[in-house]
Amino acid sequence: MRKRWFSLMAASLLAGVAVLVPAAPAMAAPTFKVPFPCGQTWSGQTRSNHSPAYAVDFNRTDDLGDPVVASAPGTVDRVTDLGGSSYGKYVRISHAGGYHTYYAHLNGFNVSVGQAVGYGKVIGWVGSTGGSTGPHLHYEQRLNGGDIQVRFNGALALYWGTKNYTSDNGCSSGAGSGTVDTSGTPLTVRSGPGTGYAAVDTVADGTRVTIQCQTSGTTVTGTYGTSSIWDRIGSGRFIADAYVYTGHDGYIPGVPRC
């Protein structure tokens, strides 16, 4: 059978037929939250002549200097001041799966490039820098560089018009914990939530881990049954939840989705 497979593949190549190679599994979108502290209500405006079109402008009364927080866990990859043009002072955060968020017209910065951030982390303050004509936060979500329609907790923002959004960002500790149980064998740590991602490390049996967020990926059968849940234990570090004792069947209550 093995010889037949290679013969067929060779014949296909000679005939000019493409042989499909399975791609690495795609990461689910992070659970983005309103980019302001827990409990605050902000007016978010979208308009078709905005640049880019799907960006949201946030305002509330006397908002100059109000804190802006990360809308999902990630790593800060830009802290830039464009002076009196365009975004002015802005921060960009890189998230799993090719997603980025932008926070523009800030009054000041509270993070640096390379810093890991989670829900509720203050990254800067509302300002009116760059091309802004008044204090507000210009907020974007992008995928692989392209502007996408904004979602909060999986729900689509209003297009087009103005809507009030109440933040639940950082309302809980946002982290869980568990103990690796593999009956002695080190557990493989992967760069993404699935067995198709590169192995980047191992975790010893019995290790207590902090779970920053959880997401779905490759289904794995382990010590605690069969599960498609993967636990992120660091930037670019995922382990199969089927090998982690968390005290819960399924997702851990209060722990965010990656």
Side-chain angles (χ1 to χ4, degrees):
M1 185 66 183
R2 185 178 179 88
K3 288 183 178 179
R4 176 174 173 78
W5 164 247
F6 282 117
S7 296
L8 286 171
M9 185 164 65
S12 297
L13 290 172
L14 288 172
V17 178
V19 177
L20 298 179
V21 177
M27 279 192 180
T31 300
F32 294 112
K33 295 182 178 292
V34 176
F36 298 102
C38 176
Q40 292 186 359
T41 298
W42 287 73
S43 174
Q45 181 194 66
T46 58
R47 57 188 188 277
S48 58
N49 64 346
H50 208 170
S51 179
Y54 295 143
V56 179
D57 277 348
F58 282 104
N59 278 110
R60 70 174 187 170
T61 303
D62 297 326
D63 55 8
L64 180 64
D66 281 354
V68 176
V69 305
S71 60
T75 302
V76 176
D77 64 358
R78 285 189 191 171
V79 177
T80 304
D81 185 354
L82 297 177
S85 65
S86 187
Y87 290 178
K89 294 180 179 178
Y90 79 97
V91 169
R92 188 177 80 171
I93 299 176
S94 174
H95 308 278
Y99 290 87
H100 288 86
T101 49
Y102 286 70
Y103 312 76
H105 306 311
L106 299 175
N107 196 43
F109 304 122
N110 193 48
V111 288
S112 56
V113 171
Q115 182 175 343
V117 294
Y119 290 118
K121 169 63 180 175
V122 176
I123 62 170
W125 297 272
V126 173
S128 187
T129 58
S132 172
T133 57
H136 71 285
L137 175 70
H138 172 102
Y139 173 82
E140 300 174 24
Q141 292 173 5
R142 297 194 186 193
L143 175 59
N144 297 325
D147 179 36
I148 60 174
Q149 291 188 327
V150 167
R151 293 178 182 270
F152 297 120
N153 293 321
L156 184 66
L158 174 65
Y159 289 94
W160 309 94
T162 301
K163 177 182 176 180
N164 286 339
Y165 298 88
T166 299
S167 176
D168 66 347
N169 195 331
C171 292
S172 64
S173 62
S177 61
T179 302
V180 173
D181 185 353
T182 58
S183 300
T185 305
L187 179 61
T188 300
V189 179
R190 305 233 173 229
S191 62
T195 53
Y197 290 89
V200 295
D201 199 359
T202 60
V203 176
D205 183 30
T207 299
R208 187 77 172 166
V209 293
T210 297
I211 300 170
Q212 298 175 346
C213 58
Q214 296 180 295
T215 190
S216 61
T218 306
T219 299
V220 172
T221 299
T223 308
Y224 298 103
T226 300
S227 175
S228 62
I229 298 173
W230 285 73
D231 304 329
R232 195 180 87 169
I233 59 171
S235 180
R237 293 169 58 84
F238 291 81
I239 56 175
D241 189 71
Y243 287 102
V244 183
Y245 177 75
T246 64
H248 300 276
D249 291 329
Y251 290 101
I252 304 171
V255 172
R257 297 285 292 273
C258 302

